[in-house]
Amino acid sequence: MSTIAVFHPSAELYGADRILVNALKALPTNVNKRVYLLRQGPLVKFLNENVSNVEVIIRTDMPVIYRAIFNLKGIVQTLVNLIGFLVYVLKENREYRFSSAYVNTSSNVLLLPLLKLVGIKRYIHIHEIIDSPKMIGWLTAFMARRFANKVVCVSQAVLDGMKRYVSSMDQVGLVLHNGIDPIAVEKPRTSNLKPHISFYLFGRIQPRKGHWFLIEALSKLPKHLLEQSRFVLMGGIVPGQEQDLVDLQGAIDKNELTPYIEIKDFASDISDPMSDADVCLVPSL
């Protein structure tokens, strides 16, 4: 029975987390999956409930790319993590003899050279277009092209985004569109009983998700339309980027939109909010 190593940097059950589960469910049930996560979270239980032959291992020293590593302290800590994680992966591979490694999201691209050193076949799944900062975009594309056997992109736009940094990405890149599970909405719709229209934006608070773009659009609506509407921004923040929430609330206050907008945290089950929503907004940039 073969075993694959799976590396993923989050555990909150956001989009990339759920796509990870779908990808693992698509594998043959008799394949062992050792899933290495950076931290604990609701994804752990979700994996155990939905994926066969899975074992989850938490490794807080897993090397990941994020803005805070681009300073002297961050670089030194990342180098330490890389060396320690290489030793750990060598030990794991001696025990489990991995047939391949699945690296999910560009945040884990630093793992690819380690896995190549160990001699494990490598697939990386890219979900995003990185326009800024360009250093991270270039580093992600270069490492993926240089060290991955295949770079799986969720859309042609994502592959084209990688090619803007490394023109030869076509040689290892391919497009495989994501699929998502339907969300069951059990409660009957009661829109005709509500005094307002409910608009929901589901997604982490990040500029690229379009939250600020939505605020700009709402600021142009006449007050009588705003009073007939309610806008819910649901999804929480990226750990370590709490300032985004402060900035977003500041933009809402500045545009005098506070009475019409509600910010809600992440929820692993959004069937109730979905049943309340008359319109789902996707202002992603």
Side-chain angles (χ1 to χ4, degrees), residues 16-279:
D17 305 333
R18 294 179 181 272
I19 294 302
L20 169 72
V21 175
N22 281 356
L24 297 184
K25 287 168 64 177
L27 293 170
T29 56
N30 63 344
V31 173
N32 291 321
K33 302 104 180 166
R34 284 184 65 80
V35 180
Y36 303 89
L37 301 179
L38 184 63
R39 60 178 67 92
Q40 285 282 356
L43 175 60
V44 176
K45 180 181 178 183
F46 198 72
L47 278 166
N48 287 322
E49 290 176 347
N50 290 276
V51 180
S52 62
N53 289 336
V54 65
E55 184 173 359
V56 179
I57 303 95
I58 307 300
R59 293 293 305 191
T60 58
D61 61 340
M62 185 188 301
V64 297
I65 292 180
Y66 56 97
R67 286 177 173 83
I69 72 170
F70 289 95
N71 55 54
L72 181 58
K73 180 180 177 181
I75 291 171
V76 170
Q77 186 60 58
T78 300
L79 289 173
V80 171
N81 287 350
L82 283 168
I83 295 170
F85 211 75
L86 173 60
V87 173
Y88 175 70
V89 171
L90 282 166
K91 173 178 171 293
E92 288 285 281
N93 189 52
R94 281 196 297 268
E95 182 172 354
Y96 296 100
R97 299 295 178 186
F98 297 122
S99 58
S100 61
Y102 169 44
V103 177
N104 194 41
T105 84
S106 58
S107 296
N108 273 345
V109 73
L110 294 177
L111 293 173
L112 293 175
L114 306 186
L115 295 167
K116 183 173 183 178
L117 281 172
V118 178
I120 304 172
K121 192 171 185 179
R122 304 156 306 285
Y123 300 88
I124 186 167
H125 202 169
I126 305 294
H127 300 251
E128 58 278 299
I129 300 170
I130 305 176
D131 287 326
S132 177
K134 291 190 180 298
M135 172 59 73
I136 293 180
W138 176 84
L139 180 62
T140 298
F142 173 79
M143 297 287 280
R145 172 66 182 92
R146 177 69 178 81
F147 296 107
N149 297 100
K150 284 292 181 183
V151 179
V152 181
C153 299
V154 301
S155 69
Q156 185 62 47
V158 169
L159 179 56
D160 290 343
M162 299 283 282
K163 287 166 60 178
R164 286 203 299 270
Y165 295 106
V166 178
S167 59
S168 62
M169 190 63 68
D170 272 335
Q171 296 180 24
V172 294
L174 61 91
V175 174
L176 183 62
H177 297 113
N178 278 347
I180 61 172
D181 295 324
I183 297 174
V185 178
E186 298 179 0
K187 294 198 313 183
R189 294 185 60 82
T190 56
S191 300
N192 59 327
L193 303 178
K194 293 189 299 186
H196 54 253
I197 300 174
S198 295
F199 295 83
Y200 274 73
L201 191 170
F202 295 100
R204 275 180 163 172
I205 295 174
Q206 293 176 294
R208 65 189 178 92
K209 295 289 187 181
H211 291 76
W212 280 259
F213 184 52
L214 174 63
I215 300 307
E216 181 184 355
L218 296 184
S219 71
K220 301 180 185 302
L221 289 181
K223 187 174 181 181
H224 75 276
L225 288 181
L226 289 171
E227 289 174 343
Q228 299 173 37
S229 310
R230 181 171 66 111
F231 298 88
V232 180
L233 314 181
M234 187 170 187
I237 55 173
V238 179
Q241 297 184 23
E242 289 76 10
Q243 186 61 40
D244 283 345
L245 177 58
V246 176
D247 293 344
L248 180 64
Q249 188 62 61
I252 293 171
D253 296 342
K254 179 182 177 181
N255 288 283
E256 301 180 347
L257 295 169
T258 307
Y260 317 111
I261 297 176
E262 180 180 3
I263 298 177
K264 291 187 176 182
D265 204 354
F266 170 80
S268 58
D269 182 358
I270 61 170
S271 56
D272 283 347
M274 284 289 287
S275 70
D276 181 56
D278 298 301
V279 180

